[in-house]
Amino acid sequence: MPHKVYVTLGFHINFYHSWRGDTPDEAGFGTDIRVIREIIRILDRANASGLSARGYWDTEVYWTFQEILPKHSPDILTDIRRRVDADLDEIVLGPFNNGANHAATADEFRASVAWAIENEWGSGLRQLFGKVAPFYRPQETMFTVGQESIFKECGVDGIMLYYAGVPFNTISSFIPRLTDEQRYNPLWFRAREDQPPLILIPCIAAGDLIENVSLESLMLDLHQKQLRGEIQSDVILNINEDADLETWLPSVKWLPNMGGLDEFINVVNKYPWAEFTVPSEYVAAHAPRAEVLVRQDLADGGYDGNYSWAEKCASIRAWTLLEQSRLASYRAASLAQRARLNLTDNHW
């Protein structure tokens, strides 16, 4: 049987933006609502016509699913749950509150991951959807050394980071060049030798499709390599983009080969050796093809640090409160040590 080219489409949801406003209109998260509703309509329309069409949704929890969606667009929550229940789409974890995970303490990061799964407010992704894939797509690739152990504690088996030819990118700058068979398959990933390995599912984005002319061109190139024996396995194209991007819609008329989600669906359904999948299904049937060690902090992928968040007034207020909270915790821990108290025994 010839090897296949699998495609998984990742819709990254986050209604709280550093570069756009926080209002329910086109100046704010109204754009997210409009584009996501259209994405769901395109997927549903394709399925109704007998075509394969599916993907996964990775998301932060607090702003989008706890605060904004229930108030402004509960239909999106209902529709995503319907598609998950039908085993069409999949939910992938993101940070609880879109926080700067790479700047978190161990306890803060542990809470961010655990609360994204289940929390006392009922907004955890497992609580909302009944099931969650054991993979984590960090906001703006905010990953740093030592987080592997905490992921494993929380039941997370894998992570999604970009191995891309154009920005947005993360790991390719720090490791030897991977073969096509490796870069389009799961990998073992760790940031330090004493950390447990995570399964890494590398991502690409729209820029990579343009770089390769189109999704169809990239798929054909990979399949020809499979037929020639240069790639001796299945491969997966993990296309992950913000769910509010107009590139999902057939509206970018000035750019060739950018028919959006409709084009992706038609191309994958065009070839018998191509197939849509979701991360958990592909990983269950395909072992990692290599191991990579990346020691660097990977936050923001474009190597401009946290500037776009740091300059936002709300972020400055939040960071000030966080610093005050940390100082209070450190003082409490120091006083408890002097008094020989165990803070975990409910003395406080």
Side-chain angles (χ1 to χ4, degrees):
M1 178 179 292
H3 297 302
K4 283 191 170 185
V5 175
Y6 287 85
V7 174
T8 187
L9 304 176
F11 309 108
H12 168 62
I13 303 178
N14 170 33
F15 283 20
Y16 183 73
H17 303 283
S18 61
W19 54 278
R20 207 161 62 215
D22 305 316
T23 52
D25 52 29
E26 290 295 322
F29 56 78
T31 299
D32 305 71
I33 292 173
R34 172 177 58 80
V35 175
I36 291 172
R37 281 174 174 163
E38 185 59 26
I39 287 173
I40 294 171
R41 277 194 288 267
I42 292 171
L43 292 169
D44 285 344
R45 185 171 64 237
N47 294 144
S49 67
L51 296 175
S52 173
R54 59 197 307 219
Y56 66 90
W57 306 83
D58 72 81
T59 178
E60 54 79 33
V61 173
Y62 174 77
W63 297 107
T64 300
F65 281 94
Q66 183 171 318
E67 296 294 315
I68 298 175
L69 273 177
K71 179 179 179 181
H72 296 281
S73 49
D75 56 295
I76 290 177
L77 181 57
T78 299
D79 285 338
I80 294 177
R81 184 185 294 119
R82 167 178 54 81
R83 293 187 58 82
V84 171
D85 288 343
D87 289 326
L88 291 169
D89 296 352
E90 183 163 85
I91 298 296
V92 166
L93 291 164
F96 172 71
N97 65 347
N98 196 31
N101 282 174
H102 64 304
T105 66
D107 286 340
E108 290 165 356
F109 182 64
R110 187 177 291 107
S112 180
V113 178
W115 289 354
I117 301 170
E118 291 187 5
N119 60 59
E120 63 183 275
W121 307 282
S123 62
L125 296 175
R126 184 182 292 157
Q127 293 163 298
L128 293 176
F129 298 99
K131 51 187 174 181
V132 181
F135 300 102
Y136 188 96
R137 193 276 200 185
Q139 175 71 17
E140 311 296 2
T141 69
M142 288 188 179
F143 178 91
T144 197
V145 176
Q147 292 182 342
E148 297 99 315
S149 295
I150 295 175
F151 276 130
K152 299 297 284 187
E153 284 178 32
C154 296
V156 177
D157 296 327
I159 190 170
M160 294 188 184
L161 298 168
Y162 286 85
Y163 185 104
V166 295
F168 209 70
N169 182 33
T170 49
I171 67 170
S172 69
S173 300
F174 303 120
I175 61 175
R177 183 173 180 176
L178 298 175
T179 67
D180 286 337
E181 185 173 313
Q182 294 168 337
R183 70 178 292 188
Y184 297 115
N185 261 305
L187 305 166
W188 288 117
F189 170 91
R190 68 179 92 205
R192 205 168 59 198
E193 289 87 349
D194 63 348
Q195 288 291 303
L198 296 172
I199 298 172
L200 169 65
I201 311 177
C203 307
I204 60 174
D208 289 272
L209 300 182
I210 298 170
E211 187 84 353
N212 288 275
V213 180
S214 66
L215 172 61
E216 183 172 17
S217 177
L218 179 55
M219 289 169 55
L220 287 168
D221 179 59
L222 291 172
H223 188 58
Q224 286 300 311
K225 291 180 179 179
Q226 289 173 327
L227 294 177
R228 293 194 299 265
E230 298 171 22
I231 295 177
Q232 299 185 22
S233 71
D234 294 333
V235 292
I236 182 172
L237 295 173
N238 180 9
I239 304 168
N240 185 283
E241 290 268 284
D242 288 1
D244 62 334
L245 289 184
E246 302 283 350
T247 48
W248 291 114
L249 311 180
S251 56
V252 191
K253 305 295 186 183
W254 51 270
L255 201 59
N257 303 313
M258 290 297 289
L261 184 53
D262 278 314
E263 179 183 318
F264 297 164
I265 293 170
N266 291 332
V267 166
V268 173
N269 282 271
K270 181 178 178 180
Y271 298 104
W273 44 263
E275 186 176 328
F276 278 119
T277 188
V278 290
S280 64
E281 286 185 12
Y282 190 84
V283 168
H286 298 83
R289 308 294 295 186
E291 180 168 340
V292 296
L293 179 68
V294 182
R295 301 179 186 276
Q296 284 81 0
D297 185 305
L298 298 175
D300 203 24
Y303 316 118
D304 57 356
N306 299 303
Y307 186 78
S308 58
W309 296 281
E311 67 179 357
K312 191 172 185 179
C313 181
S315 296
I316 295 172
R317 290 197 296 267
W319 186 257
T320 301
L321 291 171
L322 177 62
E323 287 182 316
Q324 292 171 343
S325 174
R326 283 181 177 175
L327 284 171
S329 296
Y330 295 149
R331 291 185 183 115
S334 178
L335 290 171
Q337 186 177 22
R338 291 182 186 181
R340 298 182 180 179
L341 294 176
N342 186 343
L343 293 183
T344 63
D345 289 341
N346 300 317
H347 290 290
W348 294 77

